[in-house]
Amino acid sequence: ITFRAEPMSICRVHRVLGPLALTLALTGAGGCGLVKPMLLKSVANTLSGPGGVVTSHNDPETVRGALDFALITNESLLASIPKHEPLLTATCSQYTQYAFGFIQPDAEALQFDDFEKSQAISARALRLALRGRDYCWRALEVKFKGITPRLKTAPDAALRQAKREQVPLLYWSAASLGASISLGGLDHPELLIDWPVVRALAERALALDETWNRGALHELMITVESQGEAMGGSEERARKHFARAVEIQQGLSPGPYVSLAMGIAKAKQDHDEFEKLLNQAIAIDPDKDPANRLPTLLTRQ
């Protein structure tokens, strides 16, 4: 892009066009000498920060369309700074949300009208969720070298070293693995055997900061505890997590209602409670919590 007769240098593009343009320039050119790593990390920090603009958006399709570019941008940056833990975590979270919040619902909508297409979309959702999981696993290795094999054998012990500042990484590691297991189902037993890792990650994060991200960990634990006694689940604990999530969120999020409906009520074949919970979720007004309008819209859908 040229604003004068001569092309701008990469450093000047950064000043004029901002971090996203710099990302494209730095990942495809030589950069500004020793300044390049510093600028790349600056951009990565910006892109991996809290997404207030996104979570407050009122049009899910606009966000869906932007996610393709965001994911490729993040991956381009990570090719140059592969151990940037916040960006690894952010990329993991975006792939997980894209797969489970946007792609899989398309598959579910088609399951009775076009089964083959529904299966193909589900397979894509699983690929995306697994890609997200892998970025979280890379981030875990950055923070805790050699943790991956220990998570397989003794997950609780492996996570004792985690601190409160690692709660976002623990949450998204659990969520991305849980999403992959859910999407893979019985066709992928190699994923199912990692369910204890999901619980260990979620429980460690909960112990460190139980109110993190407006009760997101309690929402996750509703799903974890809804898996039945054979998987270590407990209806009583699931309902306690439900009550705490609603309390933290002041009843402004449909997430706990949907999680309990799809977990406990569905497993018990309790039609009345299932319908009641989903009606409560649908009745929540997204505009009552503008900062979280997008997740509320997606969950209600």
Side-chain angles (χ1 to χ4, degrees):
I1 299 175
T2 305
F3 286 90
R4 298 185 184 181
E6 76 283 8
M8 285 190 171
S9 70
I10 291 171
C11 292
R12 291 185 61 234
V13 167
H14 171 236
R15 289 195 297 271
V16 174
L17 298 182
L20 285 179
L22 177 67
T23 300
L24 300 178
L26 288 180
T27 52
C32 311
L34 294 176
V35 178
K36 176 179 174 179
M38 179 183 69
L39 292 178
L40 280 171
K41 288 182 180 179
S42 174
V43 176
N45 288 335
T46 299
L47 294 179
S48 56
V53 173
V54 174
T55 57
S56 65
H57 211 288
N58 64 354
D59 183 25
E61 287 306 307
T62 297
V63 175
R64 177 179 182 148
L67 272 172
D68 288 331
F69 176 76
L71 289 165
I72 296 302
T73 299
N74 288 359
E75 292 187 310
S76 297
L77 271 173
L78 287 169
S80 297
I81 45 173
K83 294 186 177 182
H84 192 283
E85 182 267 317
L87 189 58
L88 286 167
T89 304
T91 306
C92 166
S93 76
Q94 289 171 0
Y95 266 116
T96 303
Q97 293 173 89
Y98 192 33
F100 217 72
F102 291 99
I103 306 302
Q104 182 58 18
D106 289 347
E108 292 172 359
L110 287 171
Q111 61 185 320
F112 300 115
D113 298 323
D114 192 335
F115 182 73
E116 288 187 6
K117 187 173 182 179
S118 173
Q119 290 294 95
I121 296 173
S122 285
R124 183 188 177 211
L126 176 59
R127 289 196 303 272
L128 293 170
L130 287 171
R131 194 171 182 88
R133 178 207 61 181
D134 291 346
Y135 278 112
C136 268
W137 250 237
R138 281 174 54 182
L140 285 168
E141 282 291 329
V142 169
K143 282 296 181 184
F144 315 108
K145 188 173 178 60
I147 194 174
T148 302
R150 299 200 305 274
L151 281 173
K152 299 280 188 178
T153 57
D156 292 327
L159 292 166
R160 285 182 192 141
Q161 58 189 315
K163 307 298 182 186
R164 185 171 182 172
E165 55 267 27
Q166 278 107 44
V167 166
L169 172 57
L170 297 177
Y171 171 82
W172 284 113
S173 297
S176 62
L177 178 56
S180 300
I181 292 171
S182 175
L183 292 167
L186 296 177
D187 293 333
H188 292 271
E190 76 282 4
L191 297 176
L192 277 170
I193 62 173
D194 284 337
W195 186 252
V197 180
V198 177
R199 175 181 287 276
L201 287 161
E203 287 182 340
R204 180 57 180 158
L206 195 71
L208 291 167
D209 187 358
E210 62 105 12
T211 63
W212 177 78
N213 198 16
R214 301 175 64 255
L217 286 159
H218 287 285
E219 279 193 41
L220 178 58
M221 287 304 299
I222 297 169
T223 301
V224 171
E225 296 293 359
S226 296
Q227 299 309 303
E229 292 183 6
M231 301 289 283
S234 161
E235 179 180 345
E236 180 183 359
R237 290 196 297 268
R239 292 188 182 279
K240 286 182 178 178
H241 286 296
F242 167 79
R244 182 61 177 141
V246 172
E247 179 185 12
I248 293 170
Q249 298 161 355
Q250 299 179 316
L252 296 176
S253 170
Y257 301 95
V258 174
S259 296
L260 195 67
M262 298 301 292
I264 296 299
K266 185 176 180 181
K268 294 174 65 178
Q269 295 291 294
D270 187 335
H271 179 274
D272 290 340
E273 183 179 38
F274 183 83
E275 186 171 312
K276 177 184 176 182
L277 287 165
L278 293 186
N279 281 329
Q280 286 177 294
I282 292 169
I284 291 172
D285 183 356
D287 293 326
K288 291 289 182 64
D289 186 12
N292 294 283
R293 187 181 287 110
L294 179 66
T296 300
L297 288 169
L298 287 173
T299 308
R300 288 169 81 250
Q301 285 181 6

